[in-house]
């Protein structure tokens, strides 16, 4: 999300997603389940699954251009950009992919980047072009061909599998396919297994790979209860939707086995199963009116007890009846493991709250910048250089006037002018950061209130009074922790001195 071309990629992706219409693509497993369960084929056909090897990083640029040209009549309906400029922007985004590792920059020389918003829709365009080109040359009847990104489900004559696979692999050297054959009339695809019946119709069953652990969100995990219930209910719904070959009792046993493995109570599982059965037989409700109030969603960290109270407050308040609160957990899997990506140098980071210490005393200055920290330090350095020049002015009145102006710039400059001290701009530390710039002013004020610093009093006047109690508690805890550390250091010194005296004796 911090890449220079990320927003441009999102812009292009939104245009192409509205424009590209691929008849072979499916949106999800439920859509494929509905399609395949209503399909039949004649005798002599076989099910196979083709999988593209590393699709995103092998998307050929020339095929991207070709696909956009062939679909330009649809694309131009959703943009005012002309064809030449549109192609130029797409090529620029693809060729500008890079990453940094151990302070070295590497450029991607093939395909599109993983995580780029444009990659999935470009893959959709290229694979659609590939299918059309291959089928137009093949003399083989293929009654069923559906795909989900890089996974293809194909029903073809049993004696033509190698021919079709060869035709797909010959289309472009970068796009190579592996094949999986049906075994005993069964073939896994997405999160289901497709079963070919004796009458050549199809059925499906929910499928989990043998190597899968069966773990989902545990019932005792530190998440909102409604989130865990939704996870369990969606699993109940998925098993019942995808398992057209099982009886109701067999579906229930499947649900029970996996949810009990994740510590969900049996009574809750039974209620969720009954709820799903009731909704399945209920008459569909009328669609909501378009003039209803638009819902606004706001996210807050999940803190046991506190988050529920905040949510209930918004639900009870008529003033915020259009606001829905959703929670997120700060303890993610990514926070438990060391990041594999190269760490960005401190001075190359942006959207940060930083702290600078004085070289001659214990004073600290807390600041905020949306630019790179290095750029902000250049600004502070420029102020210090100007201060050094002003102090050399012989005219007393002129010097005092300019010093007064410098004192008003920042609290740091006020300290420098008043004391003659200088701050250590080479060793700034980052206190906090956020990708959302609207959070930075609040974070800055919070850190100013909880850090011993020289910042101006006006820097904290914008904080709402509802934060006063929280800030007071944090300050008290911070003071207690500092006191405990000082007591620990004192005890350690006394213990070391006693041990040294004992050794001398």
């Amino acid at each position: 999300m911090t890449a220079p071309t990320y927003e441009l990629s999102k812009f292009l992706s939104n245009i192409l997603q509205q424009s590209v219409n691929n008849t072979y693509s499916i949106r999800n497993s439920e859509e494929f389940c509905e399609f395949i369960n209503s399909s039949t084929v004649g005798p002599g056909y076989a099910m196979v699954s083709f999988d593209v090897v590393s699709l995103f990083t092998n998307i050929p640029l020339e095929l991207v251009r070709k696909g956009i040209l062939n679909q330009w009549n649809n694309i131009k309906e959703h943009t005012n950009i002309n064809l030449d400029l549109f192609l130029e922007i797409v090529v620029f985004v693809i060729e500008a992919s890079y990453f940094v590792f151990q302070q070295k920059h590497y450029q991607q020389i093939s395909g599109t980047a993983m995580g780029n918003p444009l990659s999935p829709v470009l893959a959709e365009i290229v694979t659609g072009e590939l299918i059309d080109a291959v089928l137009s040359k093949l003399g083989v009847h293929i009654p069923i061909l559906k795909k989900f990104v890089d996974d293809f489900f194909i029903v073809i004559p049993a004696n033509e599998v190698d021919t079709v696979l060869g035709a797909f692999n010959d289309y472009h050297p970068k796009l190579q396919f592996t094949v999986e054959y049906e075994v005993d009339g069964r073939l896994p695809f997405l999160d289901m297994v497709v079963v070919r019946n004796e009458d050549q119709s199809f059925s499906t069953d929910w499928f989990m790979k043998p190597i899968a652990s069966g773990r989902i969100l545990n019932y005792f995990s530190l998440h909102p209860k409604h989130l865990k219930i939704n996870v369990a209910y969606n699993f109940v719904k998925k098993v019942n939707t995808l398992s057209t070959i099982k009886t109701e009792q067999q579906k229930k046993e499947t649900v029970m086995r996996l949810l009990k493995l994740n510590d969900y109570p049996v009574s809750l599982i039974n209620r969720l199963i009954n709820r799903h059965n009731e909704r399945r037989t209920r008459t569909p409700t009328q669609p909501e009116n378009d003039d209803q109030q638009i819902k606004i969603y706001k996210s807050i960290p999940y803190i046991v007890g506190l988050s529920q109270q905040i949510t209930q407050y918004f639900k009870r308040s008529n003033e915020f009846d259009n606001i829905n609160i959703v929670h997120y957990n700060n303890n993610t899997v990514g926070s438990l493991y060391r990041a594999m990506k190269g760490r960005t140098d401190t001075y190359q980071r942006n959207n940060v709250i930083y702290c600078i210490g004085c070289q001659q005393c214990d004073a600290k200055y807390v600041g905020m910048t949306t630019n790179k920290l290095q750029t902000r330090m250049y600004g502070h350095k420029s102020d210090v250089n100007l201060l050094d020049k002003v102090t050399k002015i012989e005219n007393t009145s002129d010097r005092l006037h300019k010093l007064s102006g410098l004192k008003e710039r920042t609290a740091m400059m006020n300290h420098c002018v008043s004391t003659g001290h200088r701050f250590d701009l080479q060793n700034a530390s980052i206190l906090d950061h956020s990708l959302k710039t609207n959070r930075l002013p609040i974070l800055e004020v919070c850190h100013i209130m909880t850090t011993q610093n020289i910042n101006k009093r006006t820097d904290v006047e914008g904080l709402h009074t509802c934060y006063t109690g929280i800030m007071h508690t944090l300050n008290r805890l911070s003071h207690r922790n500092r006191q405990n550390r000082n007591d620990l250091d004192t005890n350690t010194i006394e213990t070391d001195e006693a041990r040294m005296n004992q050794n001398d004796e």
Side-chain angles (χ1 to χ4, degrees):
M1 293 177 64
T2 57
T5 58
Y6 184 83
E7 293 298 329
L8 184 58
S9 297
K10 281 180 61 177
F11 171 74
L12 295 175
S13 176
N14 291 333
I15 295 173
L16 293 175
Q17 284 176 352
Q18 300 176 68
S19 313
V20 175
N21 183 18
N22 195 321
T23 57
Y24 305 107
S25 296
I26 54 173
R27 292 175 296 177
N28 49 50
S29 53
E30 286 78 9
E31 181 181 317
F32 177 76
C33 176
E34 182 179 355
F35 165 79
I36 200 65
N37 276 279
S38 61
S39 303
T40 57
V41 294
Y45 285 87
M47 299 183 296
V48 293
S49 174
F50 287 178
D51 183 28
V52 187
V53 179
S54 303
L55 175 59
F56 284 7
T57 54
N58 283 295
I59 294 178
L61 185 57
E62 65 269 22
L63 294 187
V64 172
R65 288 196 185 97
K66 180 180 177 182
I68 291 176
L69 285 171
N70 291 340
Q71 300 202 33
W72 182 246
N73 286 335
N74 294 331
I75 297 172
K76 69 181 182 181
E77 298 296 327
H78 300 94
T79 180
N80 295 325
I81 304 174
N82 63 59
L83 175 59
D84 291 338
L85 179 58
F86 192 87
L87 284 173
E88 184 178 350
I89 297 173
V90 171
V91 172
F92 168 75
V93 169
I94 295 175
E95 293 183 341
S97 296
Y98 74 96
F99 67 93
V100 181
F101 184 70
Q102 294 182 351
Q103 309 303 317
K104 292 184 179 180
H105 287 71
Y106 297 85
Q107 185 175 12
Q108 184 167 338
I109 60 175
S110 176
T112 60
M114 301 292 291
N116 188 321
L118 192 57
S119 296
V121 68
L122 292 183
E124 190 75 12
I125 292 173
V126 169
T127 52
E129 290 292 319
L130 180 152
I131 293 173
D132 288 335
V134 171
L135 294 186
S136 64
K137 296 179 181 179
L138 273 176
V140 179
H141 178 243
I142 299 180
I144 297 177
L145 194 160
K146 291 292 179 181
K147 73 179 188 69
F148 182 79
V149 190
D150 59 348
D151 289 332
F152 292 54
F153 177 88
I154 313 177
V155 176
I156 53 180
N159 59 346
E160 298 286 355
V161 174
D162 292 339
T163 302
V164 175
L165 178 62
F168 273 84
N169 282 331
D170 289 341
Y171 178 74
H172 195 280
K174 284 280 187 180
L175 300 176
Q176 296 299 297
F177 291 78
T178 59
V179 62
E180 183 176 359
Y181 302 90
E182 68 171 89
V183 177
D184 297 328
R186 300 170 67 90
L187 178 68
F189 184 68
L190 302 181
D191 52 355
M192 72 186 82
V193 58
V194 182
V195 181
R196 186 160 54 88
N197 303 315
E198 293 183 359
D199 61 353
Q200 303 304 313
S201 63
F202 297 94
S203 301
T204 55
D205 191 11
W206 175 77
F207 174 72
M208 182 171 64
K209 293 182 179 180
I211 61 172
S213 65
R215 294 185 181 276
I216 59 173
L217 188 64
N218 193 276
Y219 185 74
F220 295 113
S221 63
L222 191 64
H223 290 81
K225 188 174 182 180
H226 69 85
L227 178 60
K228 292 179 279 192
I229 291 176
N230 287 342
V231 169
Y233 179 77
N234 286 332
F235 177 69
V236 172
K237 182 180 178 181
K238 181 175 287 290
V239 170
N240 279 272
T241 302
L242 301 185
S243 301
T244 63
I245 200 172
K246 283 183 176 178
T247 64
E248 294 298 321
Q249 182 59 33
Q250 289 173 327
K251 295 177 185 177
K252 183 175 181 179
E253 291 173 356
T254 301
V255 169
M256 279 285 184
R257 183 173 63 253
L258 189 134
L259 292 183
K260 286 170 66 176
L261 176 65
N262 291 276
D263 298 320
Y264 285 81
V266 174
S267 58
L268 174 60
I269 300 173
N270 283 322
R271 287 202 304 273
L272 295 177
I273 293 174
N274 293 334
R275 182 195 300 178
H276 176 264
N277 292 335
E278 290 174 3
R279 291 184 177 180
R280 191 169 50 180
T281 57
R282 188 182 302 169
T283 304
T285 58
Q286 294 294 328
E288 297 182 357
N289 296 328
D290 294 336
D291 58 351
Q292 285 191 342
Q293 199 171 23
I294 298 175
K295 289 289 184 181
I296 299 174
Y297 291 88
K298 296 293 183 180
S299 60
I300 61 173
Y302 179 67
I303 302 172
V304 178
L306 177 61
S307 298
Q308 291 95 322
Q309 293 180 27
I310 295 175
T311 303
Q312 289 301 319
Y313 170 77
F314 277 92
K315 286 183 178 180
R316 291 193 302 265
S317 175
N318 293 329
E319 184 180 354
F320 305 110
D321 57 353
N322 66 324
I323 295 180
N324 281 4
I325 300 296
V326 295
H327 305 100
Y328 63 89
N329 201 324
N330 286 322
N331 295 324
T332 61
V333 174
S335 65
L336 301 177
Y337 297 94
R338 182 180 177 183
M340 297 302 294
K341 295 182 179 179
R343 292 182 63 87
T344 304
D345 181 74
T346 299
Y347 282 80
Q348 297 301 313
R349 295 176 63 179
N350 59 348
N351 292 348
V352 298
I353 310 298
Y354 62 90
C355 180
I356 317 172
C358 180
Q359 294 178 328
Q360 283 80 30
C361 66
D362 294 332
K364 288 183 173 59
Y365 172 76
V366 176
M368 174 198 77
T369 179
T370 56
N371 298 320
K372 287 183 178 180
L373 183 58
Q374 185 179 52
T375 303
R376 187 68 186 102
M377 291 302 106
Y378 287 154
H380 287 313
K381 181 64 174 176
S382 177
D383 289 342
V384 172
N385 291 340
L386 181 58
L387 174 60
D388 292 337
K389 291 180 181 179
V390 170
T391 54
K392 296 178 181 179
I393 297 177
E394 295 181 358
N395 189 318
T396 304
S397 60
D398 190 21
R399 183 173 68 247
L400 291 176
H401 175 72
K402 291 186 177 181
L403 287 176
S404 177
L406 284 172
K407 290 177 68 174
E408 295 299 322
R409 291 199 175 187
T410 62
M412 186 186 77
M413 288 308 299
N414 183 31
H415 181 80
C416 291
V417 172
S418 302
T419 63
H421 294 178
R422 294 294 183 266
F423 281 75
D424 190 1
L425 301 179
Q426 302 300 321
N427 290 299
S429 60
I430 293 177
L431 301 178
D432 217 327
H433 75 283
S434 176
L435 295 177
K436 298 182 178 180
T437 54
N438 60 337
R439 294 181 178 179
L440 291 175
I442 298 177
L443 288 174
E444 181 188 23
V445 173
C446 291
H447 282 288
I448 290 174
M449 295 186 69
T450 55
T451 305
Q452 292 182 340
N453 54 71
I454 59 167
N455 289 72
K456 299 176 182 179
R457 186 64 186 172
T458 54
D459 290 342
V460 298
E461 290 179 350
L463 192 66
H464 196 276
T465 54
C466 67
Y467 288 91
T468 303
I470 299 174
M471 293 295 101
H472 176 72
T473 302
L474 291 175
N475 279 326
R476 189 175 70 251
L477 292 175
S478 178
H479 175 74
R480 184 187 302 169
N481 290 336
R482 286 196 300 270
Q483 187 63 41
N484 291 337
R485 285 196 297 269
N486 292 336
D487 293 342
L488 180 62
D489 293 340
T490 302
N491 293 334
T492 302
I493 293 172
E494 292 176 351
T495 302
D496 290 341
E497 290 178 349
R499 187 182 296 111
M500 292 174 63
N501 292 335
Q502 186 178 7
N503 291 336
D504 292 340
E505 293 175 358

